[in-house]
Amino acid sequence: MDSNEFEDLQRRLKALEQENARLKALGIADLAERSRRAESALAESEERYRTLFNSIDEGFCIIEFFDGPHGPLSDYVHVEANPAYTQHAGIPDVVGQKLREMVPDEADGWVELYGGVLRTGQPIRFERELVATGRYLELAAFRVEPASRNQVAVLFQDITARKRTERELQRLNETLEARVAAAVAERNVFADLVEGTDAFVQVVGPDFRWLAINGASAREFHRIYGILPKVGDNMLELLEGQPEHRDAVRAVWSRALAGEVFVEIAAFGEPGRTRRSYEMRFNGLRDGNGKLLGAYQYSYDVTERLREQDRLREAEEALRQSQKMEAVGQLTGGIAHDFNNLLTGIMGSLELLQTRLGQGRVKEIDRYVTVAQGAARRAAALTHRLLAFSRRQTLDPRPIDLNRLVMGMEELVRRTVGPEIAVEVVTAGGLWPTLIDASQLENALLNLCINARDAMPKGGRITIETANRWLDEHAAGERDLTPGQYVSLCVTDTGTGMTPEVVERAFDPFFTTKPIGQGTGLGLSMVYGFVRQSGGQVRIYSEVNQGTTMCLYLPRHYGKDADKPAAVATKAAARPQADHTILVVDDEPSIRMLLTDALEEMGFSVREAHDGPTGLKILQSDATIELLVTDVGLPNGMNGRQLADAARITRPALKVLFITGYAENAIIGNGQLSPGMQVLTKPFVVETLASRVLDMIKDGTGRS
């Protein structure tokens, strides 16, 4: 190396060091600004949530369970309660009070109801008397997520007046036959009994004539349909001029007049008028012998209650969005931490490399190059994991025989987990194929087995099992999948297991239970993202000290049979002939230079283009091109896939190698590449590029 070359190398190293410092500074500033915005958004959403919480007209509270003297989850305290709580329940100052101190005689019943919601996650809606205050309440309860909070939210309102009216209805139902037989005037007694209530009450005979209707119901009927009804009128005749409404009324009352007991919630009102929502309870009217005499309807306006629930859901969504922003802050912080470590290795190596070159100690530079390359490879691996987590990695899905893949991995798994761990493989007969990226699935399986090994420090057993799964609507709903046929791959260990809190966070990025330095926290996130991107799902089944089962559910492939394992490609012993020409299309000059130099070193003749239109002109000329190597994301209105498709109009046999660092599935055909097309993911080493190009050139002449 002469002095000019040496000085030129020093200048390039200096420029690279300055650029790395600039990128690092920009990254830190960007992360700080994102964190500030996330904190601001969270504070704003919490203020909106608090304002809405206090303005709700119905009673609302959040209950927290905790272990008490009566056993696990036997007591609770009110964590939050809005001002309307006292109005509806009649119990003041509930925040911080324990259930068994507030209503000791009723505590067991309430614990059983709310405890069931907490355990199962299934919301409930019910009516119940609060004996301590003599009030009837209508309640809706649902679990606050995540379940580890041990909290249940309750929305309720005082329905004491309604219950009293219903009792009057019941008593009247027992004697109404005699009154109906006596005279229409006596029927009006029923209306008088319920006239003072806010409820809408109607009693209808088999011929759809009103036997009784209170004033509130008659006025509401007039508001909705523009007609004021009275006892003795036929509701179908009144609605003769409104056939759509008449048919709807006939349908619902026919069910009640047939003896069906049911509840419906519906909105009514003509366009231009105010639409209101009603909860309508229908029941049959029977005599003392059980004979059906007609039907009655008890309904009330629930418009405001439904609006409050909608506003509450909107507030919860805003809160969840704020929590997502907080998670983004945590994610970017974790990325910054890992990349700063890797950049330190690269920058430090380059700095020492520059120093040694300045000292003339050329023989010592290899180890610094090795360190920088290693850090760069780890940075590439981290990027791949992040893309898998975000479901944006480039996949190459093909029909796969899962049994063959698992059996092919068995020996590698045994060597990886060590002799202290017994490995058992159970494959299902007649297993359906699945469309999946085989290499990514192999990585996922190995990752799950390594996690299982780490959960068994004293040894144990790993069972790898495949199965066909036909998920009905219920089973698919539990797994957040659409009903249908799936193939499962499950890894079970006999290790320490996971607590419910760990299970809930297992797929979070950078979450790990391993000691510092022994885990990145991206392994399960990567598996989850890859499986979800492939149309499947991952579920964890675990008990502390009993072990863990990780199950991957992958959609069944209904196309051709699974591909047989491809023969291992070997590099050609001889260099390719110089008359093989490759067209390289990439808008990044440094990558274009790298590709050109590498391919020319292999003996190929290379032509270059910086965008799609330029590359297409070359391909539409008389030039002989054996292979097109193109980036997917290209400027000037033509991406790599569009370039390839346009070129194949005149060169149908043209082979294409896409290079990409981002999963633009819509561009590369949603994973369904045409024959003669392959994908190479950035970043890649020259050896990988060479192997892929040689394989594609050897697979037929590729001349076009």
Side-chain angles (χ1 to χ4, degrees):
M1 177 184 297
D2 58 30
S3 59
N4 290 334
E5 291 175 331
F6 180 78
E7 291 176 358
D8 180 67
L9 179 59
Q10 281 188 318
R11 285 194 297 273
R12 293 169 66 184
L13 289 173
K14 181 80 173 170
L16 181 58
E17 180 181 13
Q18 292 173 347
E19 180 62 12
N20 280 336
R22 185 182 69 82
L23 292 174
K24 179 179 178 183
L26 287 174
I28 294 174
D30 183 62
L31 288 172
E33 176 60 20
R34 291 185 183 181
S35 178
R36 185 194 66 76
R37 289 199 299 266
E39 291 175 357
S40 176
L42 179 61
E44 182 179 353
S45 67
E46 288 177 346
E47 179 63 25
R48 290 197 301 267
Y49 180 81
R50 175 59 56 185
T51 301
L52 177 60
F53 183 85
N54 289 334
S55 65
I56 295 175
D57 292 331
E58 296 181 82
F60 182 81
C61 65
I62 298 178
I63 300 164
E64 182 176 29
F65 280 79
F66 62 96
D67 294 350
H70 301 274
L73 299 179
S74 62
D75 289 336
Y76 69 70
V77 296
H78 288 80
V79 177
E80 294 280 359
N82 68 343
Y85 182 101
T86 300
Q87 173 188 344
H88 288 277
I91 303 177
D93 303 322
V94 297
V95 176
Q97 289 197 52
K98 296 180 180 179
L99 172 66
R100 299 190 183 279
E101 296 171 352
M102 295 166 52
V103 286
D105 296 334
E106 305 175 59
D108 290 338
W110 292 106
V111 167
E112 180 180 358
L113 285 168
Y114 294 148
V117 174
L118 184 63
R119 286 190 300 272
T120 65
Q122 295 296 320
I124 61 173
R125 181 175 175 180
F126 61 102
E127 296 177 2
R128 192 179 182 92
E129 182 181 12
L130 184 60
V131 179
T133 60
R135 299 187 182 187
Y136 280 90
L137 303 177
E138 181 179 69
L139 306 102
F142 55 94
R143 184 171 71 189
V144 178
E145 300 296 343
S148 58
R149 295 173 121 182
N150 287 344
Q151 291 181 347
V152 173
V154 182
L155 186 68
F156 62 95
Q157 67 174 357
D158 184 359
I159 60 169
T160 304
R162 192 188 86 191
K163 296 300 290 188
R164 290 172 180 167
T165 301
E166 287 180 343
R167 285 198 296 268
E168 292 294 332
L169 283 171
Q170 183 62 34
R171 285 195 293 268
L172 182 60
N173 189 33
E174 297 172 356
T175 60
L176 190 57
E177 180 187 14
R179 294 178 179 175
V180 170
V184 173
E186 287 185 271
R187 296 172 191 160
N188 292 334
V189 174
F190 169 78
D192 294 338
L193 289 173
V194 297
E195 196 63 44
T197 182
D198 292 333
F200 310 122
V201 183
Q202 304 179 61
V203 181
V204 176
D207 58 354
F208 293 93
R209 294 187 182 277
W210 277 286
L211 303 179
I213 181 170
N214 71 342
S217 185
R219 290 188 294 273
E220 198 66 6
F221 192 96
H222 180 265
R223 188 191 69 79
I224 296 172
Y225 302 114
I227 301 170
L228 184 64
K230 63 181 182 300
V231 173
D233 285 344
N234 185 301
M235 60 175 58
L236 300 184
E237 293 176 358
L238 288 183
L239 294 173
E240 188 67 31
Q242 304 177 33
E244 181 180 350
H245 294 151
R246 179 198 61 205
D247 294 343
V249 167
R250 177 192 287 115
V252 71
W253 276 101
S254 293
R255 293 170 56 191
L257 291 170
E260 183 178 351
V261 178
F262 61 98
V263 178
E264 281 199 354
I265 296 179
F268 295 93
E270 290 286 349
R273 298 180 181 175
T274 303
R275 288 182 64 83
R276 309 288 296 180
S277 297
Y278 304 87
E279 181 178 278
M280 302 172 292
R281 298 169 180 267
F282 291 88
N283 208 329
L285 184 66
R286 301 178 184 274
D287 63 16
N289 298 320
K291 180 181 178 181
L292 193 64
L293 303 176
Y296 66 86
Q297 178 207 70
Y298 171 87
S299 61
Y300 61 98
D301 192 324
V302 295
T303 305
E304 295 305 320
R305 188 186 76 189
L306 296 180
R307 288 175 180 171
E308 295 289 359
Q309 291 174 349
D310 288 340
R311 286 194 288 267
L312 184 58
R313 281 192 291 269
E314 291 172 359
E316 290 174 347
E317 180 59 32
L319 183 59
R320 280 194 294 270
Q321 184 63 30
S322 297
Q323 292 170 340
K324 289 179 183 178
M325 292 297 296
E326 184 179 3
V328 168
Q330 294 172 348
L331 175 63
T332 53
I335 296 171
H337 174 269
D338 283 3
F339 265 110
N340 282 339
N341 287 340
L342 297 170
L343 287 173
T344 299
I346 296 172
M347 295 169 62
S349 297
L350 291 174
E351 184 177 356
L352 290 173
L353 178 62
Q354 185 180 35
T355 301
R356 294 295 180 264
L357 288 173
Q359 295 170 345
R361 297 161 61 180
V362 180
K363 294 182 179 179
E364 301 181 17
I365 67 175
D366 283 349
R367 61 173 176 169
Y368 301 121
V369 173
T370 300
V371 170
Q373 288 178 331
R377 282 192 293 269
R378 291 195 300 275
L382 177 60
T383 301
H384 286 165
R385 289 176 178 176
L386 289 170
L387 288 173
F389 162 73
S390 63
R391 311 176 203 174
R392 292 294 187 272
Q393 65 180 333
T394 302
L395 298 179
D396 185 16
R398 299 182 182 182
I400 295 298
D401 182 334
L402 197 54
N403 282 345
R404 186 181 291 122
L405 182 145
V406 170
M407 290 186 290
M409 289 282 294
E410 182 176 357
E411 183 58 31
L412 176 60
V413 170
R414 292 184 189 278
R415 293 199 307 268
T416 302
V417 301
E420 297 84 5
I421 307 293
V423 177
E424 180 181 6
V425 175
V426 181
T427 57
L431 191 69
W432 300 322
T434 183
L435 190 68
I436 202 77
D437 187 313
S439 62
Q440 293 293 337
L441 184 58
E442 289 173 347
N443 290 337
L445 175 58
L446 189 60
N447 192 300
L448 295 181
C449 291
I450 291 173
N451 280 357
R453 177 202 65 188
D454 294 343
M456 299 181 289
K458 297 181 180 179
R461 175 179 295 275
I462 293 176
T463 302
I464 305 173
E465 185 173 5
T466 63
N468 290 330
R469 303 292 185 102
W470 195 315
L471 303 182
D472 59 17
E473 187 171 350
H474 175 71
E478 289 181 337
R479 295 165 176 80
D480 193 21
L481 291 169
T482 56
Q485 294 177 331
Y486 293 84
V487 181
S488 68
L489 172 61
C490 297
V491 176
T492 301
D493 64 63
T494 57
T496 56
M498 305 181 193
T499 64
E501 293 76 17
V502 171
V503 170
E504 288 181 3
R505 298 194 60 194
F507 299 127
D508 290 352
F510 298 103
F511 174 77
T512 179
T513 57
K514 298 177 182 178
I516 295 176
Q518 296 186 20
T520 64
L522 279 175
L524 287 181
S525 297
M526 178 182 65
V527 172
Y528 179 81
F530 155 66
V531 174
R532 293 298 281 163
Q533 186 179 351
S534 302
Q537 183 59 280
V538 186
R539 279 293 179 263
I540 303 175
Y541 309 94
S542 184
E543 292 186 23
V544 176
N545 299 324
Q546 298 297 317
T548 298
T549 296
M550 303 284 296
C551 274
L552 279 56
Y553 298 90
L554 306 171
R556 177 184 179 180
H557 176 59
Y558 292 93
K560 297 180 180 179
D561 293 339
D563 294 340
K564 296 182 179 179
V568 177
T570 57
K571 295 182 180 179
R575 297 166 67 89
Q577 299 176 2
D579 63 347
H580 286 279
T581 304
I582 297 176
L583 174 61
V584 173
V585 184
D586 199 301
D587 62 312
E588 176 56 49
S590 61
I591 295 179
R592 205 165 58 243
M593 178 197 71
L594 170 66
L595 293 171
T596 299
D597 289 354
L599 293 171
E600 288 179 344
E601 181 68 19
M602 294 166 59
F604 291 107
S605 175
V606 181
R607 298 191 64 172
E608 300 181 28
H610 65 280
D611 62 9
T614 304
L616 186 60
K617 288 181 180 179
I618 297 174
L619 289 166
Q620 290 176 339
S621 70
D622 295 333
T624 300
I625 304 294
E626 277 73 24
L627 175 67
L628 168 64
V629 179
T630 178
D631 191 7
V632 172
L634 293 174
N636 299 329
M638 178 179 287
N639 61 49
R641 180 57 192 261
Q642 293 168 335
L643 169 62
D645 291 341
R648 280 196 164 188
I649 295 175
T650 56
R651 298 174 182 255
L654 178 67
K655 293 180 179 295
V656 182
L657 176 60
F658 295 107
I659 53 176
T660 179
Y662 187 71
E664 294 286 356
N665 282 336
I667 294 178
I668 63 174
N670 200 26
Q672 301 298 314
L673 292 176
S674 302
M677 292 183 176
Q678 294 189 27
V679 178
L680 181 62
T681 305
K682 300 176 185 177
F684 51 81
V685 296
V686 172
E687 181 180 356
T688 302
L689 171 68
S691 176
R692 186 66 65 87
V693 169
L694 286 173
D695 288 343
M696 296 186 73
I697 291 293
K698 284 173 56 183
D699 185 17
T701 63
R703 297 294 179 88
S704 60

